[in-house]
Amino acid sequence: MSSSRYHQHFTVSWDQLHRDVRELCHRLVERDFKGIVAITRGGLIPAALIARELNVRLIDTICISSYDNREQGRLDILKGVDHDGEGWLLVDDLVDTGKTARKVREMLPQAHFVTIYAKPEGRPLVDQYLTEVAQDCWIQFPWDMGIAYVEPLVDQVKR
């Protein structure tokens, strides 16, 4: 898969991410979970926010590497867990093609799998998600962005 497959961009701010996670938590608040398993790296921040909102204290990680910038490559499992996920909430930021989701479903078949954002190819692999985005949309997460000065328009035009 190459970055040429992305024709749209969706930028998520810290505030938007926090609002979206809280909205997802409203849908989860009636359930009790033993703990949370975050899929690293993208699931770390949503998992921390969910843990706070649902008052879950036990957090573990599954560490998987599949992306290098915008290129999806080989799937490497760097760290797994020692249970099947029963009673656990499995969290990721996004389900895209489903490559990572399929693997974690094999590892934790009993977990309740949630993502904040879902694309059509991966959407059937999660139990719940908040927002669907187009398959050809690149989501720019706040942890991948920095704040930079932008020159006023009038100064740009006068050059």
Side-chain angles (χ1 to χ4, degrees):
M1 292 199 322
S2 75
S3 58
S4 63
R5 69 175 278 191
Y6 301 109
H7 304 293
Q8 302 177 58
H9 286 87
F10 175 42
T11 301
V12 179
S13 68
W14 286 110
D15 288 341
Q16 184 63 52
L17 179 72
H18 201 183
R19 282 191 302 270
D20 289 346
V21 168
R22 285 180 58 97
E23 179 60 33
L24 182 62
C25 287
H26 279 286
R27 301 172 188 190
L28 297 169
V29 74
E30 297 299 323
R31 299 184 61 146
D32 289 318
F33 296 104
K34 291 178 186 176
I36 293 173
V37 176
I39 301 172
T40 67
R41 290 180 309 206
L44 286 171
I45 292 171
L49 295 170
I50 290 169
R52 188 254 182 206
E53 295 301 333
L54 299 182
N55 198 28
V56 176
R57 303 285 177 157
L58 186 57
I59 301 173
D60 202 349
T61 58
I62 289 181
C63 304
I64 295 180
S65 174
S66 65
Y67 274 91
D68 180 19
N69 193 16
R70 289 189 184 187
E71 304 297 321
Q72 190 174 32
R74 194 175 93 221
L75 191 70
D76 292 321
I77 299 169
L78 308 171
K79 177 193 168 290
V81 294
D82 63 355
H83 55 82
D84 68 358
E86 185 174 347
W88 288 75
L89 180 64
L90 179 60
V91 177
D92 206 355
D93 56 348
L94 162 72
V95 61
D96 191 334
T97 63
K99 185 176 178 181
T100 300
R102 274 185 203 82
K103 189 61 182 173
V104 296
R105 275 287 194 204
E106 289 173 15
M107 296 168 72
L108 294 165
Q110 300 301 314
H112 186 77
F113 191 0
V114 299
T115 61
I116 312 306
Y117 307 102
K119 293 185 180 182
E121 287 179 28
R123 184 185 63 229
L125 297 166
V126 297
D127 296 307
Q128 284 181 273
Y129 64 92
L130 184 69
T131 302
E132 184 173 339
V133 293
Q135 196 68 45
D136 68 344
C137 183
W138 180 260
I139 301 177
Q140 191 69 56
F141 287 100
W143 49 83
D144 289 329
M145 297 182 294
I147 297 174
Y149 174 77
V150 176
E151 188 177 26
L153 183 59
V154 69
D155 294 341
Q156 294 175 31
V157 172
K158 288 183 178 182
R159 275 194 259 161

